[in-house]
Amino acid sequence: MGAFDPETMTLPRFYCPGEIAAGRIIELPANAAHHAARVLRLEQGDQITLFNGSGGEFLAIIARIDKSGAMVAVEKQLDIERESPLNITLVQAVCASEKMDWIMQKAVELGVSRIQPITTSRSVVRLSGERADKRMRHWQQIVTSACEQCGRNHLPQVLPLLSLPEWLGGQMTGRKNSRDGAPGNLCFMLSPTAEKGLRDFPGVATVAALTLLVGPEGGFAPEEEAAARATGFVPLRLGGRILRTETAALAAVAALQALWGDC
């Protein structure tokens, strides 16, 4: 199993949910077929890569492509993964749509395992009902497209939208029910007033899983920071400058990957 295979990395990649197996003829999803035909101008006989989000990828050849859709012949399965050894959960306060889209896309490229959107007392964006459902579907599509682009064969989870108190309550319950203390797991909360930076954790040689909590444009309210601390989150600063929420999240993920991941 390798992280790079020149045979497939340069080929167009398409997410194709459902079972994929060598020797089968399958139909591409409508959006993938449209992109293949109208945007990439692919033709019969062209090679592509398929993945279904469950791991591994498949080499396939376009058997038919036209306005009505595309059929592909699956040639072989390739046991290739490009996941980081560091399991990162990004807990991101919902921010303006373009910023949130950017965070979602780049977090996937940087190797985040799951994304938990939350609302806080200072959140500018408020989502509920059908609007929240629509935004969740939109975020999942961004995650899927990012996986197509960056080569990941496992789709990161976009977890249901929760308020910060709801999410912290679930974390507290999970810790009480856990049979062990989850050694090797770290919980960081980004804060420009924190006393510690990443260089203050030199004794942590290896980390298996990590949760990163990032606030909205206006930051966390004092009572929210206190609640996060009570749940076990360690305040963390990134240098002496105040970063925008979309900058902070991605800078932190990149730094964490450099320390304990695969960067």
Side-chain angles (χ1 to χ4, degrees):
M1 181 169 65
F4 176 77
D5 188 328
E7 184 178 16
T8 61
M9 281 296 288
T10 58
L11 297 177
R13 285 170 48 86
F14 298 99
Y15 173 63
C16 190
E19 184 181 355
I20 307 176
R24 292 186 60 185
I25 303 292
I26 63 176
E27 184 175 8
L28 288 184
N31 59 336
H34 179 272
H35 187 71
R38 302 296 180 86
V39 179
L40 300 179
R41 305 291 184 183
L42 298 181
E43 300 177 346
Q44 182 178 343
D46 286 342
Q47 284 189 319
I48 61 174
T49 302
L50 304 178
F51 69 104
N52 60 10
S54 299
E57 60 189 27
F58 300 81
L59 189 64
I61 293 180
I62 296 178
R64 177 185 62 79
I65 186 168
D66 53 36
K67 293 181 180 180
S68 64
M71 303 296 294
V72 300
V74 182
E75 288 196 317
K76 61 180 177 179
Q77 181 175 2
L78 302 173
D79 188 18
I80 295 175
E81 299 300 345
R82 303 181 180 93
E83 297 301 304
S84 170
L86 179 60
N87 189 320
I88 300 177
T89 297
L90 173 61
V91 184
Q92 174 67 51
V94 175
C95 49
S97 58
E98 296 84 2
K99 293 179 182 179
M100 196 69 180
D101 290 356
W102 174 264
I103 293 170
M104 290 275 182
Q105 182 187 68
K106 302 309 173 186
V108 172
E109 292 179 25
L110 289 169
V112 164
S113 301
R114 64 189 58 81
I115 303 171
Q116 171 66 71
I118 59 170
T119 57
T120 70
S121 63
R122 294 178 178 174
S123 293
V124 176
V125 178
R126 300 289 177 178
L127 299 171
S128 61
E130 178 57 32
R131 187 167 177 237
D133 293 340
K134 183 178 180 180
R135 189 63 62 86
M136 289 292 297
R137 292 192 295 269
H138 173 69
W139 290 334
Q140 189 60 64
Q141 182 55 52
I142 287 176
V143 166
T144 300
S145 297
C147 285
E148 288 180 330
Q149 182 274 322
C150 73
R152 293 182 66 174
N153 292 321
H154 283 270
L155 287 182
Q157 291 178 284
V158 180
L159 300 171
L161 178 65
L162 296 173
S163 69
L164 178 59
E166 287 176 325
W167 184 77
L168 288 176
Q171 295 301 296
M172 187 66 75
T173 300
R175 286 172 182 251
K176 290 180 179 179
N177 294 336
S178 177
R179 294 184 178 180
D180 57 46
N185 294 3
L186 293 177
C187 295
F188 289 127
M189 169 182 58
L190 295 188
S191 172
T193 61
E195 297 179 356
K196 291 185 177 181
L198 283 173
R199 67 179 59 186
D200 296 312
F201 296 87
V204 184
T206 60
V207 177
L210 186 148
T211 301
L212 178 67
L213 177 59
V214 185
E217 289 90 340
F220 291 116
E223 60 272 19
E224 292 174 330
E225 286 206 17
R229 284 173 180 261
T231 312
F233 280 82
V234 178
L236 180 73
R237 58 175 168 78
L238 297 175
R241 297 159 298 282
I242 296 177
L243 304 180
R244 294 178 182 272
T245 183
E246 68 271 24
T247 307
L250 301 176
V253 171
L256 294 169
Q257 288 284 29
L259 279 176
W260 297 303
D262 59 359
C263 291

